[in-house]
Amino acid sequence: MNFNSEFNNIAENYLFAEVAKRAGGYSAKNPDKKVLKLGIGDVTLPLVPEVVKALHEGAEEMAKAETFKGYGPYEGYEFLRLNIQNYYKQRGVTLALNEIFVSDGAKSDLGNILDIFSKDNRVLVPDPVYPVYVDTNLMAGRKIIYANATKDNGFLPMPDYKTDADIIYICSPNNPTGAAYTVAQLKEWVDYANKKGAIILYDAAYECFISDETLARSIFQVEGARTCAIEFCSFSKTAGFTGTRCGYTIVPAELGKDGFNANKMWLRRQATKFNGVPYIVQKGAAAVFTKQGLKEINENIKYYKTNAETIAKCMDSLGIWYTGGKNSPYIWLKCPDNMGSWQFFDLLLEKAQVVGTPGAGFGKNGEGYFRLTAFGSKEVTKEATERIKTLLTK
């Protein structure tokens, strides 16, 4: 018996686990100090009434023999996929039902999708980047190529035809930087992928925060994307399902190469390794896309966007450079006085009792930057920004 030695190539602790460990250690030593957390991107508002109502209905159905559900379809119940299909249709994107796969979250699928690709693919990820993209590929022994995302390009790297890549990760609005691609910019990536015979794994988990119509909410708004892209989305940030768990993946029917079809392979993979999302959860998820559900969900999103504005105004008052905060729940800021990311983390924790996420944890280009999240409560966000302002204006 041998273990997978590729695990030696990843950090011992997942970034957010390390942040939690350090914050927890500080709280244990300073029980009298109130620590405010704007680090992990976890939501704080409860599920909206329309979703809770549907969850209750689903639970009641499971209690009656005539409406009880056992194993469901591997790709998800049709009633939920129809609602997802209609959600895309409202933005001018046409999807077939068999192109929509319901899952327990985008994070899971972004790692699991790699099962349908060979180990020798070269993987292109932006730097800084959501750690899951890198770690899941390192675990499988794939070669990682980095596209530099920096202040100079607004943390939105564009394709370089001198670079040969097979799998390309794009997250827009981006985690951690909050930067978002326009439809025109994504067209350049789509053209690059089609020319190189590559595939784009497009993470749209934060699309619901976009209000600028020039920005893409789906890669399938871009001509040519159906032959080179798979899209992942989640109910976690859209509807507060971080603890409820539900998401979906879009795999176009025509996507494939050399006789292999990605849609059929993904269905086969799911049928082998996944027994589907619980019926009750899918009932709740379907309620998200009803008229009343969307109305209630949008109120929650406005709440978080107000928090983002509060953080952005704080940065403006301090003269600190940042991205995000408008079409994203994240604010990506330049650490003041050329401090390192973990140095600034320690300063905020020890002097202001505020927790954020060090940019260095997202890649080498994240060093010297810091991420704050708008997913805290309005009260915590207000108090945290006041503490930061007080600390940095001394």
Side-chain angles (χ1 to χ4, degrees):
M1 185 278 294
N2 295 302
F3 286 107
N4 181 358
S5 61
E6 302 295 350
F7 270 67
N8 292 327
N9 297 322
I10 63 174
E12 183 174 354
N13 283 339
Y14 183 53
L15 170 61
F16 300 107
E18 181 63 24
V19 168
K21 177 183 176 183
R22 295 193 185 199
Y26 176 85
S27 293
K29 293 179 181 177
N30 301 275
D32 57 320
K33 302 288 187 181
K34 179 184 177 183
V35 176
L36 305 178
K37 297 180 180 180
L38 297 181
I40 191 170
D42 196 4
V43 295
T44 50
L45 293 176
L47 298 174
V48 299
E50 193 69 9
V51 168
V52 174
K53 175 185 173 184
L55 291 172
H56 281 298
E57 289 174 355
E60 288 297 325
E61 289 180 58
M62 295 297 280
K64 301 172 184 177
E66 58 271 24
T67 52
F68 173 79
K69 301 289 189 298
Y71 290 123
Y74 296 114
E75 61 269 54
Y77 284 97
E78 186 173 297
F79 62 81
L80 174 53
R81 290 185 292 129
L82 280 168
N83 282 12
I84 295 170
Q85 182 187 52
N86 186 57
Y87 181 65
Y88 275 77
K89 187 177 181 180
Q90 292 171 13
R91 285 175 279 152
V93 176
T94 300
L95 301 174
L97 275 186
N98 67 354
E99 296 175 327
I100 302 167
F101 297 83
V102 178
S103 72
D104 61 356
K107 180 179 180 180
S108 299
D109 277 5
L110 281 159
N112 292 335
I113 196 72
L114 298 172
D115 281 359
I116 72 172
F117 300 112
S118 70
K119 183 179 177 179
D120 58 3
N121 282 297
R122 296 155 296 184
V123 181
L124 179 67
V125 297
D127 179 347
V129 69
Y130 182 41
V132 170
Y133 308 158
V134 175
D135 290 352
T136 50
N137 280 286
L138 288 178
M139 288 174 184
R142 291 188 182 87
K143 179 182 179 181
I144 307 287
I145 306 166
Y146 293 96
N148 286 318
T150 66
K151 182 179 177 181
D152 291 339
N153 59 24
F155 287 94
L156 292 171
M158 299 305 292
D160 179 359
Y161 281 84
K162 294 178 182 177
T163 300
D164 292 322
D166 304 306
I167 297 173
I168 304 161
Y169 282 86
I170 295 177
C171 178
S172 181
N174 185 267
N175 179 13
T177 69
Y181 284 105
T182 64
V183 174
Q185 288 173 320
L186 277 184
K187 181 66 166 69
E188 293 187 42
W189 276 109
V190 166
D191 290 345
Y192 169 85
N194 279 320
K195 185 174 179 63
K196 293 287 186 178
I199 191 161
I200 295 171
L201 303 182
Y202 188 79
D203 186 349
Y206 304 96
E207 59 83 19
C208 60
F209 287 89
I210 292 177
S211 54
D212 185 340
E213 293 184 359
T214 68
L215 302 178
R217 293 188 63 173
S218 168
I219 197 166
F220 297 118
Q221 292 173 258
V222 180
E223 183 182 359
R226 290 183 60 86
T227 55
C228 70
I230 295 174
E231 181 163 300
F232 306 81
C233 204
S234 167
F235 290 91
S236 289
K237 307 308 189 294
T238 302
F241 273 48
T242 52
T244 309
R245 307 309 305 150
C246 195
Y248 53 91
T249 294
I250 311 298
V251 188
E254 62 264 45
L255 187 63
K257 183 180 179 182
D258 299 330
F260 290 95
N261 181 274
N263 182 284
K264 292 179 180 179
M265 292 175 73
W266 182 238
L267 176 59
R268 184 67 178 86
R269 186 269 173 205
Q270 293 296 80
T272 302
K273 292 188 175 184
F274 185 57
N275 263 333
V277 176
Y279 172 74
I280 297 170
V281 172
Q282 292 193 55
K283 284 279 288 189
V288 170
F289 295 131
T290 63
K291 183 177 180 180
Q292 182 62 26
L294 286 172
K295 179 182 178 182
E296 294 172 357
I297 293 300
N298 286 332
E299 287 302 311
N300 282 7
I301 293 170
K302 286 179 184 177
Y303 179 96
Y304 294 129
K305 292 184 80 168
T306 299
N307 284 349
E309 289 174 10
T310 298
I311 299 171
K313 286 177 181 177
C314 175
M315 297 302 113
D316 288 336
S317 70
L318 293 168
I320 293 175
W321 184 92
Y322 65 91
T323 60
K326 291 183 180 179
N327 295 286
S328 166
Y330 297 122
I331 288 80
W332 177 255
L333 62 103
K334 184 78 174 69
C335 296
D337 301 323
N338 293 315
M339 278 188 276
S341 297
W342 284 104
Q343 182 185 4
F344 188 56
F345 174 90
D346 290 336
L347 177 71
L348 285 188
L349 178 60
E350 294 170 8
K351 301 298 182 181
Q353 291 76 53
V354 174
V355 176
T357 309
F362 297 100
K364 67 178 181 64
N365 288 336
E367 178 56 71
Y369 291 89
F370 202 77
R371 193 194 78 174
L372 293 173
T373 172
F375 286 122
S377 71
K378 192 170 292 184
E379 294 73 24
V380 165
T381 302
K382 184 175 183 294
E383 185 177 347
T385 53
E386 288 172 353
R387 291 186 189 182
I388 292 170
K389 190 181 295 186
T390 299
L391 173 65
L392 298 182
T393 51
K394 285 182 178 179

